[in-house]
Amino acid sequence: MSEWITDSQDEQNFEGLLRDADQIHIPIFQRSYVWRQKQLSELLADIDQVRSEVEETQFMGAIVAYEKPRSGNTVGRMRALEIVDGQQRILTLYIFVMAVVECIAPIDKEEALELVREYLLLAPRRGLDINTRVVPAFADRSQFRIIWDRINSPSVLQSELSEMQLHLPPPSGEADGDLVTQYYRILRHLRAESHADLDEAGNFLRETVAVVTRHLSFVHLKLTDASAATKIFERLNFRGVKVGVVDLVRNEIFASLADNQIKAQRIFDHVWRPFEEAFVGRAEYFFFPYCLIQDSNTRKSELFMQLRASWKGLTPEQMIKDMKPLQGPFLAIDQTGHQPGSKEISKRLERLVRLRRPASIYPYVMSMLLAFEDASITEKTVVDLLDALESFLVRRAIVGLEPTGLHAVFKGLWLQMKKHTVSEFKRQIKIRPTIQWPNDADVRGAVEKRALGRANICSYLLVEYDRDMKGDNPPLSPTIEHVLPQTLSEDSEWANLFTKEQHKQMKDLLANVVPLSSPLNSSLQDSPYSVKKTRYKKESMFTTPRDLASKWSSWGPKSIEQRSKILAEWAVFRWSQSL
């Protein structure tokens, strides 16, 4: 190839990749092939740019891989790569060559067989159980065989392949899916573009396979260790779904079972899959706090390295068993808000989940809940500590402090606390001069003056105030109703009560907002207070609007000032510092 896109020594094409590696493996439980028409159309456009000589090369991004340990049973040189990122591109190029083989075989079987030898199959040798140049993940192997059955058919190359002793991966996964569908799309494209004249059709197919194997380039990043993957995988996306930590973890867990499909499938189905599915799509966020609990100095870029170090010498079952005790505590603070065996702890966890707690507190809360499950601390201790944590977080949110810096506080806090008491928790916060726990005056001032109606904390405050009023406690999440409307029409009754400056200062105060159901809120809009008051009393499922309507016959600047003071006193009492 005469011209690369980059000046990297690691830029290469599909042909070069197969020259460096005898076999390319997709991790056995990697996600299935997911490229569809959109990605194929983009690839075909790249190929056309080269065929039409608009471009000499088209760049396809980065392939990330590391060398697999050599199997002792295989005779001769055998270098195998494990793909960390790039399986969609590798599989697409591979089946593209297969499609060219199927199309060119009726024209020239020897040429088709040469393509198989060069790009698709390894020569037979002792100890080589699978001799395809690419070995897909378990989820795609049945489809992979279906495509190969087309090549190994009497009308294509069955007799010619007999001497090569085709050894395919055992079938697994669905027989119908995106991989087979994509292959048929490629076939249709090649047949549609091929000329009726056999010589011209052959030339088209030769040109196409030359572009696919030699003129589509990528940077091949060779990892010395798979643990380096997390340092780069987030930045290595190209027309596909990025590799996640959960994919890397799954690959690491099952790497030792790549040659034992039956055992790997059994552990995957009965141990790993239930474990991963229990996260309900949130597994990606579990591993960092899990690592921090083991070593609070772990950085996100070192996450996978830490996992590998902690699992050294463990079997797949032992790795999963090691994580299992912290799965429940993670789910409790991340989404369920439920602690088995304790209504009081669950009540506080549910509030923290609704509060949209920062992820930085996860290691602290998970360690606390694990200690409770191990009976190392009492229910009262957990309740007191969660109340103190909520007070700290809510007060900061009320005054508008960002969660910046909290990671450093909470990542190792549980082990740093000499005693697991509220006083020790407060002491740990106090010794960090850059972390503020707002006092009563700060909270009062924020409630009375800050535009909390626009703050993220607003919905939480409205629900908690409504619940403290001992009302009906509706299960629905409320919408935020501005009693004084957000826009001030000059011809409205509101314009007679508020100046433009007063409207600007007061419309988003906490005192001016109440929780309402979405239908009632939408129907009120900028109605005058006389209308709103009547409908609050008759139609609101929330206690707060009914209470406001009964206490204030009119709604003007003084009403908002009065209610602001009431809410300020409630907030400093509700999230007291003297717990």
Side-chain angles (χ1 to χ4, degrees):
M1 187 165 183
S2 61
E3 184 178 341
W4 294 114
I5 298 297
T6 75
D7 60 1
S8 171
Q9 294 182 347
D10 295 317
E11 185 176 354
Q12 61 183 180
N13 51 30
F14 188 61
E15 183 178 75
L17 182 65
L18 294 179
R19 201 163 37 236
D20 285 353
D22 299 288
Q23 208 164 49
I24 299 169
H25 291 254
I26 312 298
I28 55 176
F29 289 114
Q30 181 62 281
R31 66 167 65 93
S32 61
Y33 181 84
V34 295
W35 270 24
R36 298 186 177 177
Q37 182 64 61
K38 176 181 180 294
Q39 290 83 8
L40 178 61
S41 296
E42 291 169 342
L43 177 62
L44 293 176
D46 286 344
I47 293 171
D48 186 63
Q49 289 282 294
V50 177
R51 286 194 68 251
S52 60
E53 299 184 355
V54 174
E55 299 284 356
E56 185 169 350
T57 303
Q58 289 291 73
F59 185 61
M60 296 187 69
I63 299 290
V64 187
Y66 64 96
E67 192 163 351
K68 283 174 61 72
R70 185 180 182 281
S71 171
N73 299 325
T74 307
V75 174
R77 173 193 182 274
M78 185 65 190
R79 186 184 178 200
L81 293 178
E82 185 105 343
I83 295 294
V84 173
D85 188 51
Q87 70 143 323
Q88 308 294 329
R89 281 157 284 166
I90 293 294
L91 268 175
T92 302
L93 297 180
Y94 187 86
I95 65 172
F96 210 114
V97 176
M98 293 181 76
V100 171
V101 167
E102 182 172 341
C103 290
I104 208 170
I107 301 171
D108 189 333
K109 286 190 181 292
E110 185 56 41
E111 188 169 3
L113 185 60
E114 185 57 34
L115 290 176
V116 170
R117 290 194 186 102
E118 190 170 0
Y119 300 113
L120 302 181
L121 287 183
L122 290 166
R125 68 180 78 175
R126 184 161 52 86
L128 186 62
D129 296 328
I130 299 171
N131 68 335
T132 55
R133 299 297 298 270
V134 173
V135 182
F138 277 7
D140 293 323
R141 291 186 177 182
S142 292
Q143 295 178 71
F144 191 67
R145 289 182 70 95
I146 287 171
I147 299 172
W148 263 108
D149 286 345
R150 296 181 64 92
I151 306 299
N152 191 30
S153 64
S155 62
V156 185
L157 289 178
Q158 187 178 67
S159 60
E160 288 79 6
L161 288 176
S162 59
E163 66 182 58
M164 296 197 71
Q165 302 175 26
L166 177 63
H167 294 297
L168 299 174
S172 56
E174 298 295 326
D176 186 27
D178 289 331
L179 187 64
V180 165
T181 301
Q182 194 77 300
Y183 182 77
Y184 292 149
R185 289 192 189 107
I186 297 169
L187 272 182
R188 286 195 296 271
H189 167 76
L190 293 175
R191 287 168 176 165
E193 294 293 319
S194 295
H195 198 274
D197 181 84
L198 292 183
D199 287 340
E200 291 194 26
N203 288 334
F204 164 74
L205 292 169
R206 292 182 194 100
E207 289 176 6
T208 300
V209 79
V211 174
V212 168
T213 58
R214 298 171 190 163
H215 293 270
L216 301 179
S217 73
F218 42 79
V219 173
H220 176 199
L221 300 180
K222 308 175 185 73
L223 304 184
T224 55
D225 193 307
S227 64
T230 53
K231 296 180 180 179
I232 56 175
F233 78 87
E234 289 181 340
R235 297 169 176 84
L236 297 175
N237 300 312
F238 179 85
R239 299 179 185 170
V241 183
K242 75 177 183 181
V243 178
V245 176
V246 67
D247 299 305
L248 296 172
V249 168
R250 188 191 309 112
N251 296 343
E252 175 68 17
I253 287 175
F254 288 97
S256 63
L257 298 177
D259 298 326
N260 191 337
Q261 181 171 330
I262 294 175
K263 184 176 181 181
Q265 195 70 55
R266 176 179 59 79
I267 296 173
F268 180 81
D269 289 339
H270 299 289
V271 184
W272 171 264
R273 191 189 311 225
F275 175 74
E276 184 177 351
E277 288 179 350
F279 287 107
V280 197
R282 294 284 295 175
E284 196 75 13
Y285 304 94
F286 167 77
F287 299 104
F288 190 43
Y290 165 74
C291 282
L292 286 171
I293 289 170
Q294 300 176 72
D295 182 353
S296 63
N297 292 318
T298 302
R299 298 179 183 273
K300 269 195 173 180
S301 60
E302 302 167 343
L303 170 58
F304 195 54
M305 189 183 302
Q306 169 64 29
L307 287 171
R308 295 193 91 200
S310 65
W311 289 341
K312 189 174 182 180
L314 299 184
T315 65
E317 297 101 317
Q318 290 170 332
M319 294 178 193
I320 299 168
K321 184 179 179 181
D322 188 64
M323 293 185 287
K324 189 70 177 174
L326 283 165
Q327 184 179 45
F330 170 82
L331 292 172
I333 186 58
D334 185 72
Q335 52 189 289
T336 68
H338 175 68
Q339 174 61 44
S342 175
K343 290 183 179 179
E344 290 302 312
I345 294 176
S346 297
K347 190 186 302 181
R348 281 136 179 101
L349 289 171
E350 184 272 336
R351 291 203 299 260
L352 285 173
V353 171
R354 269 194 298 111
L355 180 59
R356 300 178 188 175
R357 64 279 159 264
S360 53
I361 72 168
Y362 281 27
Y364 175 69
V365 177
M366 288 165 63
S367 297
M368 185 191 307
L369 298 180
L370 184 64
F372 172 71
E373 291 175 358
D374 291 342
S376 301
I377 56 175
T378 65
E379 179 186 57
K380 185 178 185 308
T381 297
V382 177
V383 167
D384 290 345
L385 288 172
L386 290 178
D387 282 343
L389 175 62
E390 183 183 345
S391 173
F392 173 71
L393 294 175
V394 171
R395 282 176 170 248
R396 287 177 59 87
I398 287 175
V399 303
L401 294 175
E402 296 294 328
T404 307
L406 295 188
H407 172 74
V409 175
F410 287 101
K411 64 178 184 177
L413 181 58
W414 187 254
L415 291 179
Q416 292 165 3
M417 292 173 67
K418 296 177 180 179
K419 295 181 180 179
H420 293 119
T421 61
V422 172
S423 59
E424 175 63 9
F425 174 71
K426 288 182 176 181
R427 189 187 73 82
Q428 290 287 340
I429 300 297
K430 189 175 182 180
I431 62 176
R432 293 169 169 85
T434 60
I435 301 300
Q436 182 183 351
W437 191 329
N439 59 34
D440 290 355
D442 295 328
V443 174
R444 285 192 184 96
V447 172
E448 293 179 19
K449 301 297 182 182
R450 187 167 175 250
L452 287 170
R454 295 201 308 264
N456 291 331
I457 189 73
C458 184
S459 291
Y460 182 76
L461 296 175
L462 293 182
V463 170
E464 289 307 295
Y465 186 71
D466 201 74
R467 290 184 174 184
D468 281 356
M469 297 187 76
K470 312 300 181 187
D472 300 329
N473 194 12
L476 298 176
S477 297
T479 59
I480 298 173
E481 148 76 348
H482 288 70
V483 186
L484 166 64
Q486 291 178 284
T487 57
L488 188 65
S489 301
E490 292 184 3
D491 57 349
S492 69
E493 293 184 18
W494 293 108
N496 297 325
L497 298 170
F498 292 85
T499 66
K500 288 184 179 180
E501 187 60 29
Q502 287 173 325
H503 175 262
K504 181 180 178 180
Q505 292 175 353
M506 294 184 159
K507 64 183 176 67
D508 290 312
L509 293 181
L510 185 63
N512 188 54
V513 293
V514 293
L516 280 188
S517 66
S518 181
L520 180 55
N521 195 345
S522 298
S523 68
L524 288 172
Q525 297 290 327
D526 57 354
S527 301
Y529 182 66
S530 58
V531 174
K532 290 189 173 187
K533 179 175 62 173
T534 301
R535 296 190 65 187
Y536 288 168
K537 288 181 179 179
K538 291 182 177 180
E539 301 177 40
S540 174
M541 66 175 67
F542 294 94
T543 305
T544 305
R546 300 197 301 266
D547 176 74
L548 183 145
S550 66
K551 287 182 177 177
W552 281 277
S553 58
S554 61
W555 195 251
K558 287 188 177 180
S559 306
I560 294 177
E561 290 173 1
Q562 290 169 356
R563 189 165 187 256
S564 289
K565 294 186 181 302
I566 293 171
L567 292 176
E569 291 307 314
W570 164 76
V572 297
F573 176 79
R574 173 68 175 75
W575 291 286
S576 173
Q577 277 191 311
S578 58
L579 294 167

